[in-house]
Amino acid sequence: MRRFLRPGHDPVRERLKRDLFQFNKTVEHGFPHQPSALGYSPFLRLMAIGTRSGAIKLYGAPGVEFMGLHEENNTVMQIHFIPDQCQLVTLLDDNSLHLWSLKQHGGASELQEERRFTLKGPPGCPPSATQVTALLAHSSREVLYLGTESGSVFVVELPSFRVLEDRTVPSEAALQRVPEDYCNRRSCELVEALREHPKNPNQILIGYSRGLIVLWDLQNSQVTHHFLGSQQLENLYWQRDGSKFISCHYDGSYTQWPVSNDNRQPEPLENLVPYGPFPCKAISKIYWQTTKNGLPYIIFQGGMPRASYGDRHSISVIHGSQQTAFDFTSRVIDFFIIFSSEPTAEFDDPSAMVVLAEEELVVIDLKSAGWPAVHPPYLASLHCSAITCSHHVSNIPLKLWERIISAGSKQNVHYSNMPWPIDGGTNLAPDPPQRDLLLTGHEDGTVRFWDASGVCLHLLYKLSTVRVFLTDADPNDNMNTLGEDEWPPLRKVGTFDPYSDDPRLGIQKIYLCKYSGYLAVAGTAGQVLVMELNDEDAEHVVDHAEADLLQDQEGYRWKGHEKLKTRDGPVRFEAGFQPFVLVQCQPPAVVTSLALHSEWKLVAFGTSHGFGLFDHQQKRLVFVKCTLHPSDQLALEGPLSRVKSLKKSLRQSFRRIRRSRVSSRKRRGAGGNTSEVQEANAKFDQDALQEMELAPVQRKIEARSAEDSFTGFVRTLYFADTFLRDSSRHCPSLWAGTNGGTVYAFCLRVPPAERRMDEPVRAEQAKEIQLMHRAPVVGILVLDGRSTPLPEPLEVAHDLSKSPDMQGSHQLLVVSEEQLKVFTLPKVSSKLKLKLTALEGCRVRKVTVANFGSCRTNDYSENDLAVLTNLGDIQIISLPFLKLQIRYPCIRKEDVSGIASCVFTKYGQGFYLISPSEFERFSLSTKWLVEPQCVVDVPELTSNNHVNNRSGMENATR
């Protein structure tokens, strides 16, 4: 039978691969990109968010998440839950309606699309006749009322979406018995709002954009009352007892209307412009919430004076003498109030306000004094400042975890202690098996620590590096401070702040040692900060050191940005990670690589000019190495001057093309054998065409020129205790890989602990390897005598890893963009290689070692390489034999930013940005899988449950 098997086909290995590897995209972390609609069900206590790309996401208690996607990928305009049901209806911008249901399958709930429907009018009618502008899900759960641009209200049966034509409310019927002067002055125009009477389900309010409001009797199909508004209508809201309703208008006013049983023409009780008398913005939505103490909560969006506050995005809350205008840094999409939905309750008693802004979700506690914000357990605004890098650390020790949480809790004292108010559904997912951290570096110089253990990505702690430097903004400035007499009483809320005081503050590299608590961060202007964790606030001087990476070079001049200015004297730091030393690279170029060895107390850093090693215990520079090639002029230009260089090179390219065309014409016109010239040109064109049409598999790895730009760019740094000089003695070493395919190896002499502060660390270059194809080196790894990757610093000391095998020969794995190559140590002779570009036509972008455990048994696991390519696929390659195990398509190859942002975990998971505000989480392992597992049970209905349907979100705004 063996001769019938394919070469290399091993049935046992194939079964094992099925037990080890499986690709799943599991959950999306962060805030939905470009949200467009909001819905809430007080019955299910679930919130729904729709986006411009057609996604719909449901959230309840932490861990309860559902996602659906409309096939059309159109913008979700409105979301409405069907009262007392696990169903909701979405309206898209193509005028289609979609019915979604939460259905239980295998013990867990799933969001499924049931039906879709588009309202169509009679033949020949204009599209506006059926363009839906307002929607009401009736408490009978049997029908939807659809207000349109033509002013008509259509009735649609649920769940069949059948139009009940005999119950249509035409605009002509609404205008019956309206005073002639009012009717002549303004037509109905479109339906702006539909509201069901809170006590009588047979009556609905229909609000038209020009100001007319009618109370329609569903049983008798007639108007019972006309409310003649004089201003353009924006929205309506019923008071709880149904005796009054509120209308809000385009001119920044709101009007209170009485609803009586007699046939007299209703007159408004009051008409107020809260921020008048000057022209104000429209009030687009309003709530009137009753309380036990008699003072109502009046909550509305907009209404600010146009001249001074026309660019503000605000929601005002008024309760007696208290008044605050919450000021958001991005546009408000929608909001709702969480209040008592018990049918027997006499008052609304609002508890929280939930605001969906364009870039974040903000929840305000209306029960506590001062109306503080509530810290959200999910929907984190990852991009409150643009993400510039990320770093994942698996299996955090409990002590470090608790210290980070303690530091974060001291930052959150201004948040409310209110439990998360959106708590529907039940999370069925088991507790995470370990504690994982995702660290994100940001453009404003901050590093955020996220709990990435489970489904909810939760912010634990925020570190700012700004205090070390002098910037235009004072870190002690408080944007929320208000003068006593300031009017309107604005208060800034939310965390989204896209503006950086100085782009040089941006964090580019992060390295955290989970055993020692040391943290190294490096930035855009060549700054490298080493920090340690302190449980208390402290004030101390940050030591400074400079690393001149061009010290042996002459004639080079840096044309980029200047270094950041540092503060003199002691600096006060909050509890948490506090910097104790700053290494400033010169020139102050972007730090491109970073490595920290907490056992040896060393930090290595690299830029486009070279790399250096710093002893952070003695606070002394060990050495620097310049990797700059004489032709690397671009490396001496900052990011701003690089744009000019690009323009210049484009101009030169076009000129060369133009010159070559002109010269070829001259050669043809100069006489000679014309047929020979044409034949040569034809042959050249044919050869060029064949070259272009070569399949990727036939592509060769061509050696790159040493004159290519950025050859000295340091891509990777790696510490290893291995055999570098001879096979009898191992020693600490530092390895560096560059963009030009060069690998440098330095022997380090680290004094023993008892003489560590007395003797200096010494370094000596031992090896220099030049890859023949000169492709950028993206990863370096040393394998011990058992072909196992060397453990992390202090991992063995904490009994979390076996000691490396120092008896057998070690191997060096060098990963370039085009191939993986294994060398023997210490001779550095080539042993084997895998040519990815030659065989697959792809280039390596990210590589890491991941541990894969079997889903069948806990006794087996293996280390493999996870490789992400520029085509967006992930390849798993075995160690040490470099055999391709499996390939998965993961990211679209056009999504360059997604590929660049990808970060792998130690146990076969990964994260990448699918938008500026969202991480997609994926898993390559059958054993490590983090995904939502939740169920939504339908609560039991109580009698007279009509009030339960009022959430303020059950009805539509335009």
Side-chain angles (χ1 to χ4, degrees):
M1 285 294 291
R2 289 173 183 259
R3 62 197 179 113
F4 293 105
L5 293 175
R6 293 195 308 273
H9 181 80
D10 182 355
V12 177
R13 180 62 188 171
E14 291 300 316
R15 282 197 299 271
L16 184 57
K17 280 159 62 172
R18 287 194 293 270
D19 294 344
L20 293 172
F21 312 123
Q22 181 181 345
F23 178 74
N24 289 287
K25 290 186 179 180
T26 55
V27 66
E28 293 176 3
H29 295 302
F31 185 77
H33 184 50
Q34 296 182 326
S36 56
L38 179 67
Y40 177 66
S41 169
F43 177 69
L44 300 175
R45 299 184 72 82
L46 294 179
M47 171 181 67
I49 295 176
T51 71
R52 290 190 206 170
S53 60
I56 177 170
K57 301 185 178 186
L58 271 60
Y59 300 92
V64 177
E65 297 184 13
F66 303 95
M67 180 179 170
L69 185 65
H70 296 88
E71 288 183 10
E72 296 81 359
N73 289 343
N74 287 69
T75 299
V76 180
M77 302 298 291
Q78 297 181 31
I79 302 173
H80 302 274
F81 282 87
I82 307 300
D84 306 337
Q85 297 287 307
C86 285
Q87 291 182 313
L88 63 153
V89 173
T90 56
L91 171 67
L92 305 190
D93 64 352
D94 64 354
N95 206 40
S96 62
L97 291 163
H98 301 254
L99 179 66
W100 298 80
S101 296
L102 281 170
K103 294 196 169 180
Q104 291 196 21
H105 178 73
S109 297
E110 296 177 355
L111 183 62
Q112 299 176 356
E113 185 177 358
E114 297 284 326
R115 281 187 175 83
R116 64 188 65 190
F117 163 77
T118 301
L119 183 64
K120 292 183 170 65
C125 71
S128 62
T130 54
Q131 184 68 42
V132 178
T133 56
L135 194 152
L136 168 64
H138 195 262
S139 61
S140 65
R141 306 187 290 280
E142 296 174 354
V143 291
L144 293 175
Y145 290 89
L146 309 177
T148 62
E149 275 190 10
S150 64
S152 298
V153 178
F154 295 87
V155 186
V156 176
E157 189 178 51
L158 285 176
S160 64
F161 278 137
R162 183 170 65 91
V163 179
L164 305 177
E165 296 181 2
D166 57 324
R167 294 173 64 177
T168 299
V169 183
S171 57
E172 296 79 15
L175 288 171
Q176 290 178 2
R177 298 197 306 276
V178 174
E180 282 190 20
D181 59 333
Y182 185 90
C183 194
N184 294 336
R185 193 169 71 245
R186 59 187 70 235
S187 62
C188 283
E189 291 231 342
L190 58 85
V191 177
E192 196 71 58
L194 295 169
R195 294 287 181 268
E196 181 181 342
H197 195 293
K199 296 295 184 184
N200 184 358
N202 291 319
Q203 291 183 335
I204 61 170
L205 275 178
I206 305 174
Y208 297 91
S209 63
R210 286 295 182 91
L212 174 66
I213 306 163
V214 300
L215 186 61
W216 183 263
D217 188 328
L218 298 175
Q219 277 188 328
N220 301 315
S221 298
Q222 64 179 22
V223 174
T224 62
H225 293 84
H226 292 92
F227 304 88
L228 308 180
S230 59
Q231 293 293 335
Q232 182 175 323
L233 181 70
E234 291 288 319
N235 219 319
L236 299 170
Y237 186 78
W238 278 105
Q239 291 189 21
R240 191 178 187 94
D241 60 2
S243 63
K244 305 181 193 72
F245 70 88
I246 314 295
S247 63
C248 54
H249 302 276
Y250 182 77
D251 66 342
S253 67
Y254 67 84
T255 305
Q256 192 172 185
W257 301 86
V259 178
S260 58
N261 294 324
D262 54 40
N263 294 324
R264 287 181 299 174
Q265 179 63 45
E267 294 293 332
L269 295 175
E270 63 174 348
N271 182 40
L272 291 175
V273 184
Y275 295 112
F278 303 106
C280 294
K281 292 174 68 177
I283 294 179
S284 56
K285 188 169 187 177
I286 192 166
Y287 281 84
W288 186 289
Q289 300 277 280
T290 56
T291 60
K292 293 175 183 175
N293 65 9
L295 293 172
Y297 277 85
I298 305 168
I299 304 168
F300 56 87
Q301 177 184 345
M304 301 293 283
R306 285 186 183 274
S308 304
Y309 301 94
D311 59 341
R312 299 296 183 99
H313 314 288
S314 68
I315 294 179
S316 299
V317 180
I318 303 172
H319 179 59
S321 60
Q322 287 180 274
Q323 181 167 348
T324 299
F326 293 100
D327 186 19
F328 300 86
T329 52
S330 58
R331 184 172 62 93
V332 174
I333 303 297
D334 205 347
F335 76 102
F336 62 85
I337 306 299
I338 297 177
F339 55 87
S340 173
S341 58
E342 288 296 323
T344 55
E346 188 178 350
F347 304 101
D348 292 313
D349 284 328
S351 58
M353 175 173 72
V354 181
V355 182
L356 176 68
E358 201 164 35
E359 305 292 353
E360 62 186 326
L361 184 83
V362 178
V363 178
I364 304 296
D365 178 3
L366 297 176
K367 288 286 190 185
S368 302
W371 300 331
V374 181
H375 195 53
Y378 47 71
L379 285 173
S381 183
L382 297 173
H383 64 317
C384 42
S385 174
I387 294 176
T388 48
C389 67
S390 52
H391 174 66
H392 188 275
V393 188
S394 299
N395 208 5
I396 302 290
L398 179 60
K399 187 175 180 181
L400 176 64
W401 186 264
E402 290 174 342
R403 292 178 70 190
I404 291 173
I405 290 176
S406 174
S409 63
K410 293 174 183 176
Q411 296 176 335
N412 295 333
V413 290
H414 59 283
Y415 280 107
S416 167
N417 293 321
M418 166 190 264
W420 184 244
I422 304 164
D423 55 3
T426 306
N427 180 18
L428 303 177
D431 291 335
Q434 62 184 32
R435 295 168 292 275
D436 289 353
L437 273 180
L438 179 66
L439 283 69
T440 53
H442 297 264
E443 192 179 47
D444 62 354
T446 58
V447 178
R448 286 170 167 80
F449 290 64
W450 305 92
D451 177 0
S453 314
V455 171
C456 296
L457 195 68
H458 181 62
L459 181 64
L460 298 178
Y461 164 69
K462 184 179 84 169
L463 161 70
S464 177
T465 62
V466 179
R467 287 184 178 271
V468 180
F469 306 102
L470 288 168
T471 60
D472 295 336
D474 186 346
N476 296 318
D477 285 349
N478 187 356
M479 298 294 289
N480 292 333
T481 53
L482 287 173
E484 291 183 8
D485 301 324
E486 183 169 342
W487 185 261
L490 283 167
R491 190 174 107 202
K492 194 172 284 293
V493 287
T495 59
F496 179 72
D497 183 10
Y499 306 107
S500 173
D501 298 327
D502 192 327
R504 295 174 297 172
L505 290 167
I507 305 296
Q508 296 297 328
K509 294 292 174 184
I510 306 169
Y511 197 104
L512 172 67
C513 174
K514 61 186 178 184
Y515 303 111
S516 64
Y518 282 116
L519 171 71
V521 297
T524 303
Q527 70 271 28
V528 180
L529 286 162
V530 186
M531 313 184 188
E532 58 184 343
L533 194 54
N534 190 344
D535 297 328
E536 302 295 333
D537 294 3
E539 188 171 359
H540 60 257
V541 175
V542 178
D543 290 294
H544 297 79
E546 278 211 355
D548 183 6
L549 298 172
L550 296 179
Q551 58 184 7
D552 298 329
Q553 305 289 329
E554 293 181 0
Y556 288 104
R557 187 171 62 87
W558 170 247
K559 303 173 187 175
H561 49 243
E562 296 179 355
K563 68 176 184 178
L564 285 159
K565 294 179 180 177
T566 55
R567 294 180 184 272
D568 296 326
V571 182
R572 183 158 189 83
F573 297 102
E574 297 176 339
F577 285 94
Q578 299 172 352
F580 61 89
V581 67
L582 164 67
V583 184
Q584 178 62 57
C585 298
Q586 287 290 6
V590 174
V591 177
T592 57
S593 54
L594 185 69
L596 177 73
H597 200 294
S598 47
E599 190 173 356
W600 302 337
K601 304 292 193 298
L602 299 174
V603 61
F605 49 88
T607 71
S608 53
H609 307 117
F611 60 96
L613 181 67
F614 186 81
D615 178 353
H616 65 77
Q617 184 166 0
Q618 291 189 10
K619 297 173 183 173
R620 171 185 165 273
L621 190 65
V622 178
F623 78 91
V624 292
K625 169 74 175 176
C626 180
T627 57
L628 204 60
H629 190 272
S631 65
D632 275 356
Q633 287 301 314
L634 276 180
L636 289 164
E637 299 179 1
L640 297 177
S641 53
R642 202 168 300 149
V643 177
K644 298 176 186 174
S645 302
L646 179 62
K647 290 179 180 177
K648 184 179 177 183
S649 63
L650 284 171
R651 278 199 300 271
Q652 289 172 345
S653 300
F654 282 119
R655 284 171 186 162
R656 279 198 297 270
I657 292 168
R658 209 176 293 125
R659 280 199 298 268
S660 65
R661 285 176 178 169
V662 170
S663 62
S664 65
R665 286 197 202 103
K666 285 180 180 176
R667 282 197 300 273
R668 285 188 216 127
N673 194 335
T674 310
S675 61
E676 284 182 15
V677 173
Q678 289 176 346
E679 189 178 338
N681 286 338
K683 187 175 186 305
F684 174 80
D685 291 344
Q686 188 177 359
D687 291 345
L689 191 64
Q690 286 178 351
E691 185 72 25
M692 289 168 62
E693 290 177 348
L694 272 177
V697 176
Q698 299 170 323
R699 202 176 293 170
K700 296 178 181 178
I701 296 181
E702 296 180 0
R704 305 186 187 196
S705 166
E707 281 72 38
D708 284 354
S709 294
F710 284 109
T711 55
F713 185 116
V714 180
R715 292 285 290 266
T716 183
L717 291 163
Y718 177 70
F719 285 108
D721 186 358
T722 187
F723 300 94
L724 198 52
R725 292 196 178 279
D726 55 58
S727 56
S728 59
R729 288 178 300 172
H730 58 89
C731 65
S733 63
L734 172 66
W735 300 76
T738 72
N739 223 37
T742 307
V743 177
Y744 299 95
F746 280 76
C747 277
L748 307 178
R749 197 186 73 79
V750 182
E754 62 272 11
R755 299 195 304 274
R756 184 64 179 81
M757 287 301 292
D758 303 325
E759 299 179 13
V761 175
R762 301 192 183 279
E764 182 182 355
Q765 184 170 338
K767 307 282 184 189
E768 182 174 335
I769 308 165
Q770 179 62 61
L771 301 179
M772 294 297 290
H773 57 290
R774 298 183 183 274
V777 178
V778 296
I780 297 173
L781 183 70
V782 172
L783 306 175
D784 69 4
R786 293 187 294 263
S787 298
T788 302
L790 295 181
E792 294 179 24
L794 296 175
E795 193 173 10
V796 175
H798 284 75
D799 296 326
L800 295 170
S801 174
K802 292 180 182 178
S803 297
D805 183 353
M806 293 301 191
Q807 304 302 317
S809 60
H810 284 195
Q811 300 173 79
L812 171 69
L813 171 65
V814 177
V815 182
S816 75
E817 279 192 356
E818 298 180 355
Q819 67 181 21
L820 291 77
K821 197 165 187 177
V822 175
F823 299 88
T824 60
L825 288 176
K827 290 185 178 180
V828 193
S829 57
S830 177
K831 188 176 180 182
L832 71 151
K833 61 186 173 183
L834 173 64
K835 297 181 179 180
L836 286 179
T837 302
L839 300 175
E840 312 292 340
C842 60
R843 294 181 184 275
V844 177
R845 287 290 178 258
K846 305 272 181 175
V847 62
T848 194
V849 177
N851 183 268
F852 293 92
S854 171
C855 60
R856 293 184 183 273
T857 173
N858 293 327
D859 299 333
Y860 183 81
S861 68
E862 65 180 42
N863 292 306
D864 296 287
L865 286 177
V867 176
L868 174 70
T869 73
N870 63 327
L871 303 180
D873 60 1
I874 294 175
Q875 303 183 16
I876 299 175
I877 298 169
S878 67
L879 286 174
F881 301 112
L882 303 185
K883 299 290 185 184
L884 177 62
Q885 300 300 297
I886 202 158
R887 181 193 293 108
Y888 299 112
C890 180
I891 310 173
R892 291 182 303 108
K893 64 180 179 182
E894 299 83 10
D895 187 4
V896 179
S897 60
I899 293 171
S901 66
C902 182
V903 57
F904 289 107
T905 77
K906 194 177 177 181
Y907 295 99
Q909 297 185 67
F911 303 82
Y912 69 93
L913 288 171
I914 54 174
S915 75
S917 58
E918 291 172 290
F919 273 115
E920 175 83 70
R921 187 180 191 134
F922 63 87
S923 175
L924 305 168
S925 169
T926 57
K927 190 173 182 180
W928 298 93
L929 201 64
V930 175
E931 61 183 350
Q933 298 176 40
C934 44
V935 66
V936 175
D937 293 314
V938 180
E940 289 188 15
L941 285 170
T942 56
S943 60
N944 189 24
N945 203 35
H946 185 67
V947 179
N948 204 23
N949 303 320
R950 293 175 65 245
S951 70
M953 290 301 301
E954 73 285 355
N955 300 318
T957 57
R958 179 183 170 186

